[in-house]
């Protein structure tokens, strides 16, 4: 006897496979296409479309949508538009012609719509079967269709905006808010952005006031967004005198300085101690008696690129054996990236995100971020970082700053509402930031390669020291990238003065910053600092670098200083 609970369990099985074994999920969904419970249900077709998007198999994505439109299966207008818009996007990439799309639409309207009465037979469609408060329920058709109607309008909005039919886009959003009573704050935001496109500040102000008067859902982040919007619109509609502008500019600069100093303090003291706040005293690199806990030998040639290693944590093995297996997983991924097998590397690191050896480990997410950065796939990169922030994985200060800076640089390339990004940070601060105790005991970054066949798994103390050094460097580089060279110089000098992390790279960064400022007199002082207050681990390489730098500064200043002059 057909049972909706059975159908829910089949649906859930597919969703779980998507996370762990994408290829198996695809096979499973293909089987569901002909299963009696899904014979009149569009759900497995939709999941296949999403899976082929993940695997970047656009030809198969096109074929499965074609198959759906010819299947005679009914779906409501929201999902019809969803499938059709996917085809239109594929048409832009020449996977299907506009004429083919028109033909498929006609077939759907002639055959599939007539089968509406079959849609919930022999069981309700999968979209209506959900788990709520631990109980599997079937949402009523009326409630489901009402919600679907709202989603349909959202899809229409997206399509109109993509096609640059802005007048229709604005009219539809106003209809959704004023006539239909839809009150998501994102609709109000979209309207504001649309009106700003035409400098229609009167209508933008009208929408802002509707939001502020409580006609929309609200969050702390959305409140801040609309308040900033209001300030800008009012400044345009009611411009101030030159005197008022000057006063405001002075006030703004003062506030900016205060905010910047506060942000610096937050970066340098990311997590306060529970009791008395104390500054961590890291031993110098040379003072570590034991830098590693395990030494692992392996042969890179033994890795078979045709078959990725499939290991999961095994409690029956001892610690070293489990670490050897984790090392193989790490080295296989590195081999893929070295061989420029980008698609394989992406699939592999997505697999590692759900692998038990990498539970509570940021490593696979960071590798994906690096790959997406190189391929300029900015939107997918943001999705990857969002998944990390929602995974409840703890990030130490270096990783937190590193991922935060990646987001900032991506936002320079793509148009994304920053309020959404702020929500990720808020979620992380409430979840992942509190999970330091759950952090993976043997993070992938503790595996340090020293030659072609030897890996050291370093101690917590040495790892934390290295990560703190990288964090300090990354913070300085952030200041440099936004053009605040003076702040970067102050930051690097503080590191040098405190003598815990004064590697010669920080001296170099000061020189680079001063070169950007064309301040060669101060750069000469920075080079002198290298010789009079030397860094940790001075080497021939660092000496050569500063000697060349001195020659360049002498040329710029028309001077003739020698290294001996600076030392004396």
């Amino acid at each position: 006897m057909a049972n909706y609970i059975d159908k829910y369990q089949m649906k859930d099985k597919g969703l779980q496979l998507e996370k762990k074994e994408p290829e198996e999920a695809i096979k499973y969904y293909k089987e569901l296409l002909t299963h009696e419970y899904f014979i009149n249900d569009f759900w497995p077709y939709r999941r296949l479309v999403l899976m082929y998007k993940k695997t970047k198999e656009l030809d198969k994505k096109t074929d499965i949508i074609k198959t759906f439109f010819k299947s005679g299966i009914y779906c409501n207008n929201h999902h019809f538009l969803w499938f059709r818009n996917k085809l239109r996007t594929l048409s832009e990439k020449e996977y299907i012609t506009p004429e083919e799309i028109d033909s498929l639409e006609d077939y759907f309207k002639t055959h599939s719509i007539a089968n509406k009465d079959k849609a919930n037979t022999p069981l309700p469609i999968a979209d209506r079967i959900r788990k709520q408060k631990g109980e599997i329920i079937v949402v009523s058709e009326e409630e489901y269709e009402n919600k679907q109607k709202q989603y349909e309008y959202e899809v229409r909005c997206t399509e109109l905006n993509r096609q640059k039919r802005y007048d229709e886009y604005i009219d539809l959003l106003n209809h959704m808010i004023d006539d239909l009573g839809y009150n998501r704050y994102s609709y109000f935001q979209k309207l504001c952005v649309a009106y700003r496109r035409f400098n229609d500040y009167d209508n933008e102000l009208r929408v802002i006031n509707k939001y502020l008067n409580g006609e929309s859902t609200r969050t702390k982040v959305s409140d801040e967004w609309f308040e900033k919007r209001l300030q800008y619109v009012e400044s345009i509609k009611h411009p101030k005198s030159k005197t008022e502008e000057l006063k405001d500019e002075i006030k703004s600069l003062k506030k900016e300085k205060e905010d910047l100093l506060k942000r610096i303090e937050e970066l340098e003291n990311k997590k306060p101690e529970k009791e008395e706040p104390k500054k961590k005293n890291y031993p110098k690199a040379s003072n570590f008696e034991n830098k590693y806990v395990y030494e692992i030998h392996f042969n890179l040639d033994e890795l078979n690129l045709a078959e990725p290693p499939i290991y999961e944590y095994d409690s029956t093995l001892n610690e070293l054996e489990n670490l050897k297996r984790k090392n193989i997983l790490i080295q296989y991924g590195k081999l893929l990236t070295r061989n420029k097998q980008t698609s394989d590397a992406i699939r592999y690191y997505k697999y590692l995100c759900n692998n038990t050896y990498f539970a509570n480990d940021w490593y696979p997410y960071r590798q994906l971020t690096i790959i997406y950065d190189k391929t300029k796939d900015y939107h997918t990169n943001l999705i990857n970082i969002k998944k990390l922030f929602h995974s409840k994985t703890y990030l130490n200060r270096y990783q937190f700053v590193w991922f935060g800076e990646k987001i900032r640089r991506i936002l320079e390339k793509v148009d994304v509402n920053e309020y959404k990004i702020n929500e990720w940070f808020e979620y992380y601060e409430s979840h992942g930031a509190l999970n330091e105790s759950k952090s993976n005991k043997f993070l992938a970054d503790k595996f340090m390669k020293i030659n072609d066949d030897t890996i050291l798994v370093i101690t917590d103390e040495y790892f934390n020291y290295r990560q703190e050094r990288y964090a300090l460097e990354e913070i300085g580089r952030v200041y440099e990238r936004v053009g605040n060279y003076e702040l970067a110089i102050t930051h690097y000098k503080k590191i040098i003065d405190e003598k815990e992390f004064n590697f010669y790279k920080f001296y170099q960064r000061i020189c680079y910053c001063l070169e950007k400022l064309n301040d060669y007199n101060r750069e000469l002082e920075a080079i002198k600092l290298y010789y009079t207050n030397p860094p940790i681990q001075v080497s021939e390489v660092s000496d050569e670098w500063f000697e060349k730098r001195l020659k360049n500064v002498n040329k710029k200043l028309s001077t003739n200083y020698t290294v001996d002059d600076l030392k004396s």
Side-chain angles (χ1 to χ4, degrees), residues 379-396:
H379 285 286
T380 309
N381 208 349
L382 280 178
I383 292 169
N384 171 59
I385 298 174
K386 177 185 177 181
K387 287 180 180 177
L388 169 63
F389 277 32
H390 281 78
S391 70
K392 301 182 182 179
T393 300
Y394 171 77
L395 304 174
N396 64 23

Side-chain angles (χ1 to χ4, degrees), residues 466-479:
R466 285 162 58 91
Q467 290 283 296
E468 184 65 15
R469 171 194 162 187
Y470 299 150
L472 291 170
E473 183 180 346
E474 183 64 23
I475 291 167
R477 296 299 294 272
V478 172
Y479 297 149

Side-chain angles (χ1 to χ4, degrees), residues 446-457:
K446 292 181 181 178
F447 289 66
M448 188 171 74
K449 190 173 182 179
I450 58 172
N451 56 46
D452 287 342
D453 60 1
T454 306
I455 295 288
L456 299 182
V457 182

Side-chain angles (χ1 to χ4, degrees), residues 85 112 172 178 202 233 248 252 274 351 555:
N85 292 346
S112 301
L172 184 55
D178 297 334
D202 289 332
V233 172
D248 283 350
S252 176
K274 289 183 180 177
Y351 155 70
K555 185 177 179 180

Side-chain angles (χ1 to χ4, degrees), residues 279-291 459-469 472 498-503 536-537:
K279 184 177 177 299
K280 291 184 180 178
N281 291 315
Y282 291 90
K284 290 184 180 179
S286 57
N287 291 346
F288 286 101
E289 291 182 9
N290 297 313
K291 291 186 179 180
T459 63
D460 290 345
E461 292 78 10
Y462 187 44
F463 171 75
N464 291 336
Y465 178 85
R466 285 162 58 91
Q467 290 283 296
E468 184 65 15
R469 171 194 162 187
L472 291 170
E498 291 181 351
K499 296 185 180 298
E500 290 179 344
F501 298 93
N502 57 325
F503 289 82
I536 297 171
Q537 297 174 337

Side-chain angles (χ1 to χ4, degrees), residues 106-123:
D106 290 341
Y107 190 93
F108 178 86
K109 290 173 182 176
T110 305
H111 297 80
S112 301
I113 290 179
N115 290 328
K116 182 177 180 179
D117 292 340
K118 296 180 181 179
N120 289 285
T121 59
L123 287 167

Side-chain angles (χ1 to χ4, degrees), residues 39-100:
I39 200 71
N40 294 308
D41 198 332
F42 61 85
W43 189 82
Y45 291 92
R46 180 174 174 127
R47 298 317 302 177
L48 279 168
V49 171
L50 294 171
M51 291 307 298
Y52 287 136
K53 179 184 177 182
K54 281 185 179 180
T55 58
K56 300 191 185 304
E57 296 174 283
L58 300 186
D59 52 343
K60 292 182 180 178
K61 180 179 174 182
T62 308
D63 288 342
I64 196 63
I65 301 175
K66 286 181 180 180
T67 304
F68 169 69
F69 274 113
K70 292 177 181 178
S71 69
I73 294 174
Y74 169 82
C75 69
N76 61 30
N77 209 33
H78 162 225
H79 287 103
F80 166 75
L81 293 173
W82 187 87
F83 282 108
R84 189 196 64 185
N85 292 346
K86 297 296 180 191
L87 285 181
R88 287 182 174 178
T89 303
L90 289 163
S91 175
E92 292 170 3
K93 298 176 182 177
E94 299 183 350
Y95 281 89
I96 188 171
T97 65
E99 292 74 23
E100 285 181 280

Side-chain angles (χ1 to χ4, degrees), residues 116-344:
K116 182 177 180 179
D117 292 340
K118 296 180 181 179
N120 289 285
T121 59
L123 287 167
I125 58 172
D127 264 9
R128 288 180 54 207
I129 308 173
R130 299 174 189 169
K131 182 174 278 189
Q132 185 173 296
K133 296 181 180 179
E135 182 183 356
I136 299 170
I137 64 164
V138 178
V139 177
S140 72
E141 283 194 66
E142 182 181 6
E143 180 184 345
Y144 174 74
E145 289 300 335
N146 285 341
K147 202 66 181 173
Q148 288 292 300
K149 198 67 181 174
Q150 184 172 348
Y151 295 152
E152 177 188 333
Y153 280 112
E154 289 182 5
V155 173
R156 288 183 183 276
C157 279
T158 301
E159 187 69 1
L160 289 171
N161 192 40
R162 192 177 71 84
Q163 294 172 350
K164 299 184 179 179
R165 294 158 62 184
Y166 298 128
D167 288 341
E168 295 172 72
Y169 175 65
I170 289 171
D171 288 344
L172 184 55
L173 281 169
N174 277 312
H175 175 61
M176 291 165 65
I177 293 170
D178 297 334
D179 302 328
L180 301 176
Y182 296 152
N183 66 343
R184 284 186 179 177
Y185 64 78
S186 60
Y187 304 152
F188 292 74
Q189 286 178 321
K190 291 176 191 295
L191 256 184
C192 286
V193 172
Y195 282 128
R196 178 76 62 87
R197 184 180 283 120
F198 301 106
N199 296 326
D200 187 348
Y201 298 111
D202 289 332
N203 269 314
E204 184 177 355
L205 183 60
R206 174 181 63 82
V207 176
I208 292 170
N209 285 330
K210 284 171 73 72
Y211 170 87
L212 295 174
N213 289 333
E215 296 185 37
S216 162
T217 58
R218 298 175 71 154
T219 67
K220 180 183 175 183
V221 174
S222 66
D223 280 350
E224 291 174 357
W225 192 92
F226 280 96
E227 285 164 7
K228 287 179 181 177
R229 207 83 182 179
L230 178 62
Q231 290 174 10
Y232 180 81
V233 172
E234 288 184 336
S235 71
I236 296 295
K237 288 178 64 62
H238 307 290
K240 297 180 179 179
S241 67
K242 293 293 181 185
T243 304
E244 288 175 316
E245 283 182 0
L246 183 59
K247 286 180 180 178
D248 283 350
E249 187 176 350
I250 293 170
K251 184 178 178 182
S252 176
L253 287 170
K254 184 178 178 183
K255 178 70 168 59
E256 185 179 329
K257 182 180 178 183
E258 289 172 355
D259 290 345
L260 194 53
L261 290 171
K262 184 179 178 182
R263 181 60 180 148
I264 295 167
E265 186 178 352
E266 288 173 356
L267 285 170
E268 294 181 346
N269 304 283
K270 188 174 88 65
K271 189 176 179 184
E273 299 288 339
K274 289 183 180 177
E275 298 175 0
E276 296 180 7
K278 290 192 201 175
K279 184 177 177 299
K280 291 184 180 178
N281 291 315
Y282 291 90
K284 290 184 180 179
S286 57
N287 291 346
F288 286 101
E289 291 182 9
N290 297 313
K291 291 186 179 180
Y292 67 95
V293 287
Y294 287 109
E295 184 173 318
I296 298 173
H297 297 280
F298 73 103
N299 186 352
L300 198 61
D301 294 333
E302 292 177 2
L303 290 179
N304 179 6
L305 280 174
E307 296 181 11
I310 306 297
Y311 292 132
E312 294 289 343
Y313 179 78
D314 188 343
S315 60
T316 65
L317 300 175
N318 62 38
E319 193 166 76
L320 179 57
E321 290 304 312
N322 272 311
L323 289 175
K324 287 179 179 178
R325 291 170 67 167
K326 182 166 185 174
N327 175 59
I328 291 172
L329 293 171
I330 294 169
Q331 299 307 324
Y332 182 83
K334 289 184 175 181
L335 197 56
L336 288 177
T337 53
R338 262 201 310 277
N339 291 345
K340 298 183 179 179
Q341 294 173 257
T342 305
S343 298
D344 292 334

